[in-house]
Amino acid sequence: MPEPLEDQVMRKIDQAAELYYRLVLVVGPPGTGKTTALREVRKRTGAPLVNVNLELSRRMLDLTERQRVLQVPRLLGELLKEAEGDRILLDNTEILFDVSLRQDPLRLVQGLSRNKTVVATWNGSVESGHITYAVPDHPEYRRYPIRDLLIAGPEAMA
């Protein structure tokens, strides 16, 4: 029987404590239980669960497109600073992939995970030693090698 996703995440959080980037990615296609798992992790740990699409959109409402590009890292950093504790759970992270924001989503969340353990959902897949977001030829397509990444998910190697 496969390990429940929330148990995978809890185990990866423990492993992250020893790393430079304390980042756990919960990777899977939409509808595979990532949000449900994060809600369970929140119950177990008391870590805040943040809807990144909602919170970042609210903070960018009054900004021009150019300002948004420049301010996303700072605004996301503020979200983390406002969260109590040494862990934060980030769900609904699709806005980070928006091509108009011109961000590198993985590097962005990695940078945030230096001072706090970050668990972030990633709508994508794990294949051939890489994590992907979207499909090739899609404007938001991203592909990263897995090296040095902690990944939990229905497709992840436990």
Side-chain angles (χ1 to χ4, degrees):
M1 185 161 120
E3 180 181 25
L5 186 52
E6 56 270 17
D7 291 346
Q8 274 188 58
V9 172
M10 293 299 297
R11 188 166 43 80
K12 299 291 181 175
I13 287 172
D14 290 340
Q15 292 174 8
E18 308 296 321
L19 302 176
Y20 182 74
Y21 292 121
R22 297 177 355 210
L23 174 65
V24 177
L25 295 175
V26 184
V27 180
T32 54
K34 297 180 302 294
T35 297
T36 302
L38 284 190
R39 287 181 183 144
E40 181 59 33
V41 170
R42 178 185 62 193
K43 286 181 193 172
R44 293 182 190 183
T45 65
L49 176 58
V50 176
N51 179 330
V52 176
N53 290 342
L54 181 65
E55 293 301 324
L56 204 51
S57 294
R58 282 182 184 162
R59 293 168 190 244
M60 292 191 306
L61 274 175
D62 296 329
L63 301 178
T64 65
E65 185 173 338
R66 177 164 166 66
Q67 289 171 324
R68 289 175 181 174
V69 170
L70 298 171
Q71 296 298 322
V72 165
R74 182 185 63 78
L75 294 172
L76 200 54
E78 284 177 3
L79 275 172
L80 265 71
K81 285 179 186 166
E82 293 166 9
E84 305 233 348
D86 63 346
R87 296 178 185 140
I88 189 166
L89 311 173
L90 303 178
D91 196 15
N92 302 307
T93 58
E94 295 82 11
I95 193 170
L96 302 179
F97 294 85
D98 185 320
V99 291
S100 71
L101 294 177
R102 292 181 263 168
Q103 301 297 313
D104 182 333
L106 179 60
R107 302 295 169 247
L108 188 57
V109 292
Q110 276 183 323
L112 297 170
S113 71
R114 290 180 53 211
N115 300 314
K116 186 178 287 213
T117 299
V118 175
V119 179
T121 58
W122 182 288
N123 282 336
S125 60
V126 176
E127 51 194 46
S128 305
H130 291 80
I131 59 169
T132 60
Y133 181 90
V135 293
D137 296 328
H138 189 281
E140 295 178 350
Y141 176 73
R142 298 289 180 144
R143 184 173 189 259
Y144 298 95
I146 290 178
R147 70 174 179 271
D148 302 327
L149 295 176
L150 289 177
I151 297 174
E155 304 172 359
M157 301 297 170

